[in-house]
């Protein structure tokens, strides 16, 4: 619901439930991943501790015959902290302080008061990555901005000028990628829900 009305969730609204459309989208993602994996072993499940991410992961896990009870949860996978902007609409904040989004990159152009910047997100994700053995594939469910930084780090991209962190290109909500050996493959494009490999 927060996404539909352009209201920021950040880390303050951790347990907003998925809408019905969000549940359907998660099922579609799960079916696409099931087709992509074929007979490969099921991946280790990781999620942000936000309820909406855990709900998404549980729906995907059911589609790939994985036990969502085995999910590893980590606060470092949470969405960028938007500080005092949390629960406010983009338009309300922009009316107060001016434009807050760089439209070319689809990123904040202003650091949220009391919140994180992209280098903060990269730092916590770098620590998470360093702890992973990557002895098996991981299915990681996190959030839009966080996912872009995570992908940027795993793809070995340089820091994006002005944002102080490696940030991958924006993907439509509901998209899923596989990153292996520093190369990204689109499993499902959330824009059209068409599968690709």
């Amino acid at each position: 619901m927060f996404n539909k009305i352009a209201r920021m969730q950040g880390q303050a609204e951790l347990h907003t439930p998925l809408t019905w459309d969000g549940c359907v989208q998660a099922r579609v993602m799960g079916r696409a991943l099931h087709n992509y994996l074929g007979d490969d072993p099921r991946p280790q499940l990781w999620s942000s501790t936000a309820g909406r991410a855990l709900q998404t992961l549980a729906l995907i896990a059911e589609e790939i015959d994985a036990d969502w009870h085995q999910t590893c949860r980590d606060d470092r996978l949470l969405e960028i902290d938007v500080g005092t902007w949390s629960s406010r609409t983009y338009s309300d904040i922009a009316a107060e302080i001016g434009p807050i989004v760089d439209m070319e990159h689809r990123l904040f152009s202003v650091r949220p008061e009391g919140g994180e910047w992209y280098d903060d997100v990269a730092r916590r994700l770098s620590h998470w990555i360093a702890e992973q053995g990557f002895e098996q594939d991981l299915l990681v469910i996190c959030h839009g901005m966080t996912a872009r930084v995570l992908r940027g780090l795993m793809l070995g991209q340089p820091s994006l000028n002005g944002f102080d962190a490696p940030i991958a290109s924006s993907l439509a909500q509901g998209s899923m990628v596989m990153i292996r050996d520093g190369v990204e493959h689109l499993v499902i494009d959330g824009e059209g829900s068409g599968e690709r490999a």
Side-chain angles (χ1 to χ4, degrees):
M1 182 60 91
F2 273 62
N3 287 343
K4 280 189 172 182
I5 58 175
R7 188 180 299 278
M8 294 195 201
Q9 295 185 80
Q11 295 184 11
E13 300 291 337
L14 291 184
H15 302 301
T16 55
L18 294 179
T19 63
W20 177 253
D21 288 343
C23 292
V24 170
Q25 188 176 65
R27 292 278 189 191
V28 169
M29 291 167 67
R31 286 191 291 275
L33 183 58
H34 187 274
N35 292 339
Y36 184 87
L37 292 173
D39 294 329
D40 288 352
R42 301 300 89 167
Q44 184 181 33
L45 307 178
W46 279 88
S47 176
S48 129
T49 53
R52 62 191 183 274
L54 290 162
Q55 188 179 6
T56 300
L57 186 134
L59 292 167
I60 292 171
E62 287 183 12
E63 296 293 333
I64 65 170
D65 302 319
D67 183 0
W68 59 268
H69 293 95
Q70 302 299 316
T71 300
C72 303
R73 304 166 189 208
D74 201 304
D75 286 338
R76 292 171 293 184
L77 297 172
L78 285 168
E79 182 59 296
I80 189 171
D81 185 351
V82 294
T84 61
W85 294 356
S86 185
S87 300
R88 300 188 63 205
T89 65
Y90 284 80
S91 59
D92 285 347
I93 298 164
E96 274 181 25
I97 65 172
I100 60 170
V101 176
D102 176 311
M103 296 309 290
E104 177 186 356
H105 297 101
R106 300 184 63 160
L107 298 168
F108 293 131
S109 55
V110 177
R111 182 185 183 126
E113 182 183 346
E116 293 181 304
W117 193 241
Y118 297 99
D119 57 341
D120 299 313
V121 177
R123 201 166 14 262
R124 61 176 155 94
L125 290 173
S126 293
H127 291 302
W128 179 81
I129 290 169
E131 292 174 8
Q132 305 312 309
F134 295 106
E135 295 172 5
Q136 70 180 100
D137 288 339
L138 310 182
L139 170 60
V140 182
I141 300 296
C142 54
H143 312 269
M145 299 280 194
T146 300
R148 290 182 65 184
V149 176
L150 180 60
R151 288 170 49 231
L153 288 166
M154 296 190 73
L155 294 169
Q157 294 182 345
S159 286
L160 186 60
N161 191 30
F163 298 96
D164 306 323
I167 304 175
S169 60
S170 180
L171 295 173
Q173 185 173 325
S175 297
M176 186 175 281
V177 298
M178 166 67 86
I179 298 174
R180 184 171 279 146
D181 300 323
V183 178
E184 183 175 75
H185 301 280
L186 190 61
V187 175
I188 183 169
D189 180 356
E191 193 70 46
S193 294
E195 293 177 44
R196 295 191 213 162

